[in-house]
Every structure is written in C-alpha cells, then in structure tokens.
Amino acid sequence: MPTAFITGATAGIGAAFARRLASDGFDLVLLARDAERLERTAAELRAAYGVRAETLPADLSAEEGLAAAEERVRKDVDLLVNNAGFGNKGVFLDVPVSDELTMLRVHCEAVLRLTHAALPGMLARGRGGVVNVSSVAAFATRGTYGASKAWVVNFSQGVAADIRKRSRGRVRVMALCPGFVHTEFHDRAQMDMSDVPDFMWLDKDDVVAAALRDLRRGVQVSVPGAQYKAVVGLTRLLPRGLVSRLSSTRGRQYD
C-alpha cells in the first residue's frame, strides 16, 4: 500500500485528508502535537478502513519535533500533506513577535524542510506527491498569516518547476489554497466569523476531493470552489491597494 504522511492530522482539513486517503487504501503516518488525540484518531482510522495508521506526536515549531518529522518523511512516504498551521489572535503589533516567528516556522520552515526531505525518495522511486496547504489569503492582505501562505504558493510553484524534468511529471508538488472552511482554526484564534456569508464556506471533504483531483491532473495551485476561483481571479485584476482595503478585515474580527 502507498503511504501518506499528514501534518496537523487530528482536525479540520488534515483529518479530512486522513479519512479520504485511508478510504482510498493509503497507509498513514499522522503527525500532531496532542498525543492522546492523535492515537485516538489513528485507532478510529484503523478500525474503519483496515489500514496501518502510525502516529508521530511532534511540535513542528520545535527543532526536536521538526527533525523527527524529517527523519520519518525520508522513509517510505508516497504522499506528503503539509497541513499543520494556525492563526494568531490579533493583527500585527498586537501579536507577540515570538508568536509571529512560531507561525513562520510552522508555515514556512516546516514546509520547506519536509518537502526537501520527501522529494529525493519520491524522485528515486519515480512516483509521489506533495500537497502544501496554503490559503486564498495568499492572494490578499492578511498580515503575517497571508504573507506566510503566499510564500507557500511561491515555494511550491518553484519546486514543481525545479523537479519537472527530473520527475517526468510523475512526482508533483502543489499548493492548496482553500477559502473559509468550517474547522477548529477560527475558534482557536478566537476569530468572530459572523460577517462571512454562508455561500463563502467550503466543506472540508469537498476541499480534499478537489485537491486530490487537481494533484492527479498536475495542477500547481489548487483553489477549490467556484466562488474562490472568482475571488482569486479578481485579486489579479484589481489594483493592489483596493485588494488590501477589501481583504484586510474580512473575517478578522476577534472575540
């Protein structure tokens, strides 16, 4: 069976990836910080789908956790899903710089190092894929969060271009850019999402289905949902200053 390594695997989009890939016959390596919740998630997946579900409790903002993840990814991983991430409560200058640096380590350094660890084995085997979970915030103005997600998009496209000839299209790297999804993300950041209309919310299982479909097609930047494809298209046409004014506060009210 192929093996998928998923970070941030116990909730939200990461958990949806785990369920979908288990149902598709993948063995799993699941990474998250909460060891008890991680083992509970793995046990449920083993029971439901009859797959192997290995757990790796680790904090990707700590060198020890990141090194452990790198070591495991270098082994028999066919699909890497870099999903771990979070939002800070408050806008820049209202957030401690240590928290902003932690975000950059999880959103950027971990993505870079795990992608770097996974690709040599995939290229040697002649198959594999990396999904780096970004956000439509990458195309807007969202402070450190948006900047880190813009980095993920640019990085993923650059790596995909770098390996194109060597992989002959059999190893793919893709940035996944969902919009608003009902997960624990906003609650953890204590965001008030009441100003977001219902039609702008995506289902996490639909996001995963779109991501896997786009990865198979060789898409480098996947934007699930017609509404968000339109949003991203508009951000490329409108003046940057107007995009900044429209996007900087939407969905960023804090409790």
Side-chain angles (χ1 to χ4, degrees), residues 54-137:
E54 177 184 339
T55 61
L56 179 57
D59 182 354
L60 294 180
S61 70
E63 178 58 31
E64 182 181 7
L66 188 44
E70 281 180 298
E71 181 180 359
R72 181 60 186 86
V73 166
R74 289 192 184 100
K75 298 178 182 178
D76 57 336
V77 170
D78 301 286
L79 177 62
L80 169 64
V81 180
N82 279 313
N83 167 74
F86 64 95
N88 283 323
K89 180 183 179 182
V91 296
F92 193 67
L93 295 185
D94 293 339
V95 177
V97 70
S98 59
D99 292 351
E100 298 281 61
L101 290 171
T102 296
M103 175 177 285
L104 292 179
R105 188 157 214 207
V106 174
H107 289 186
C108 301
E109 183 180 347
V111 168
L112 184 154
R113 288 173 60 174
L114 295 186
T115 301
H116 192 276
L119 283 176
M122 293 178 182
L123 290 168
R125 292 187 295 272
R127 67 180 188 278
V130 178
V131 177
N132 293 325
V133 179
S134 179
S135 167
V136 293

Side-chain angles (χ1 to χ4, degrees), residues 115-177:
T115 301
H116 192 276
L119 283 176
M122 293 178 182
L123 290 168
R125 292 187 295 272
R127 67 180 188 278
V130 178
V131 177
N132 293 325
V133 179
S134 179
S135 167
V136 293
F139 307 99
T141 303
R142 307 291 287 189
T144 303
Y145 180 83
S148 69
K149 293 303 186 179
W151 182 90
V152 171
V153 172
N154 198 298
F155 169 75
S156 300
Q157 289 180 294
V159 174
D162 286 345
I163 67 169
R164 184 180 295 117
K165 289 184 179 179
R166 293 174 62 186
S167 71
R168 297 181 181 178
R170 292 193 289 266
V171 179
R172 295 166 180 172
V173 178
M174 183 184 80
L176 171 62
C177 301

